[in-house]
Amino acid sequence: MTDALRQGSENPEFGAERTPPKPEKIHVVRSSSALEHRAAQAGSAMGRAAAAVRNIQERLTEGGAQGPKQKFKVITGRGRARAQELSHAATARAQEWTELLRERGLELKDRAQERWQQARVQARRVADERPIHVALGAGAVGFLLGVALRIRRAHHAER
């Protein structure tokens, strides 16, 4: 695909005797909006695509040493090859990301399990060192839960 966008001597299909037509002068409008910027990018891409299609049409109608069918086969073959390359590259990239996320997920899981074990050990230590404080704390939490449940029941009974 990038071969089709090259101009002049860079593209062997054009050769020295054929150069693509010069694009018309484009008026560039400065914009501050991100939406306008994206729209300008989309318009530019559409313009390049239209120019590429026009260029392909011109090459197919010329005939030259090869017939239009042969040129079309060459162009489609290059397109298929490029699409296959991009597909393989995308697959490899997706596998890399999957492996990275799997590793990160396992790291986070291991870290969470480690922290949970540390919390359990610390809770046991506090319970062994200060059993009266733990019992009073558990009683206070139970009392507060009972009050919260009563308030909730009363609130639902009013409806």
Side-chain angles (χ1 to χ4, degrees):
M1 177 104 189
T2 57
D3 291 343
L5 296 178
R6 291 184 188 163
Q7 298 180 354
S9 62
E10 292 179 4
N11 191 343
E13 289 186 18
F14 287 140
E17 68 278 352
R18 167 116 167 68
T19 58
K22 299 285 183 197
E24 296 178 16
K25 187 139 186 147
I26 299 173
H27 179 65
V28 178
V29 177
R30 300 275 184 211
S31 65
S32 59
S33 168
L35 180 61
E36 289 174 350
H37 180 69
R38 295 284 184 199
Q41 286 178 336
S44 176
M46 290 170 65
R48 284 192 304 269
V53 168
R54 200 175 314 118
N55 191 9
I56 290 172
Q57 287 174 343
E58 288 175 6
R59 284 192 281 168
L60 288 176
T61 57
E62 284 178 358
Q66 298 177 342
K69 288 183 181 179
Q70 292 171 337
K71 283 189 174 186
F72 184 74
K73 286 181 182 179
V74 168
I75 292 169
T76 56
R78 286 181 184 165
R80 284 190 187 119
R82 181 67 177 148
Q84 194 172 28
E85 289 174 14
L86 292 173
S87 172
H88 290 307
T91 302
R93 185 67 149 222
Q95 288 175 348
E96 289 174 12
W97 277 99
T98 302
E99 291 172 10
L100 178 67
L101 291 174
R102 188 175 297 136
E103 290 171 4
R104 292 289 175 129
L106 291 176
E107 288 174 8
L108 292 175
K109 182 180 176 184
D110 291 343
R111 192 179 309 156
Q113 286 177 346
E114 183 180 314
R115 295 271 170 92
W116 177 252
Q117 289 296 332
Q118 287 175 353
R120 287 179 60 191
V121 168
Q122 189 175 5
R124 282 189 191 138
R125 186 176 51 81
V126 169
D128 288 341
E129 291 176 1
R130 300 179 181 168
I132 295 175
H133 291 87
V134 172
L136 290 174
V141 168
F143 176 76
L144 292 174
L145 283 174
V147 170
L149 287 173
R150 287 291 226 159
I151 292 172
R152 184 169 179 244
R153 280 188 202 157
H155 180 69
H156 285 293
E158 291 175 359
R159 290 185 182 183

